[in-house]
């Protein structure tokens, strides 16, 4: 799973996450959820094991008070 931790409680209905491979193809994720023990943590289940390669995560988080933030980060899956 992808686990993104924020400094404020999140509004799940308006928060989004997209995972893309190095070619820009979107990678399927399961439904987003909040961690039941911490509503500041957004969870995105992976539907399959990621192959070796580079990935980009684009996210939008809307806090419980309505503030919207966006960001991007990359990571690599190695052998």
């Amino acid at each position: 799973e992808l686990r993104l931790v924020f400094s404020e409680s999140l509004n799940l209905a308006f928060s989004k996450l997209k995972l893309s491979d190095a070619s820009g193809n979107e990678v399927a994720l399961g439904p987003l959820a909040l961690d039941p023990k911490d509503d500041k943590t957004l969870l995105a289940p992976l539907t399959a094991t990621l192959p070796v390669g580079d990935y980009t995560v684009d996210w939008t988080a809307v806090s419980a008070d309505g503030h919207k933030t966006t960001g991007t980060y990359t990571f690599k899956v190695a052998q």
Side-chain angles (χ1 to χ4, degrees), residues 7-72:
S7 61
E8 296 183 34
S9 299
L10 297 172
N11 183 331
L12 181 61
F14 299 106
S15 298
K16 299 184 277 187
L17 192 144
K18 183 176 102 173
L19 177 63
S20 303
D21 65 17
S23 298
N25 299 314
E26 191 166 346
V27 177
L29 297 170
L32 293 181
L34 295 179
D35 184 325
K37 296 178 183 173
D38 181 9
D39 65 358
K40 298 175 187 175
T41 301
L42 184 64
L43 306 174
L46 298 171
T47 59
T49 301
L50 296 176
V52 171
D54 296 321
Y55 294 88
T56 301
V57 176
D58 293 301
W59 56 268
T60 299
V62 178
S63 66
D65 68 1
H67 287 96
K68 177 180 172 181
T69 57
T70 61
T72 299

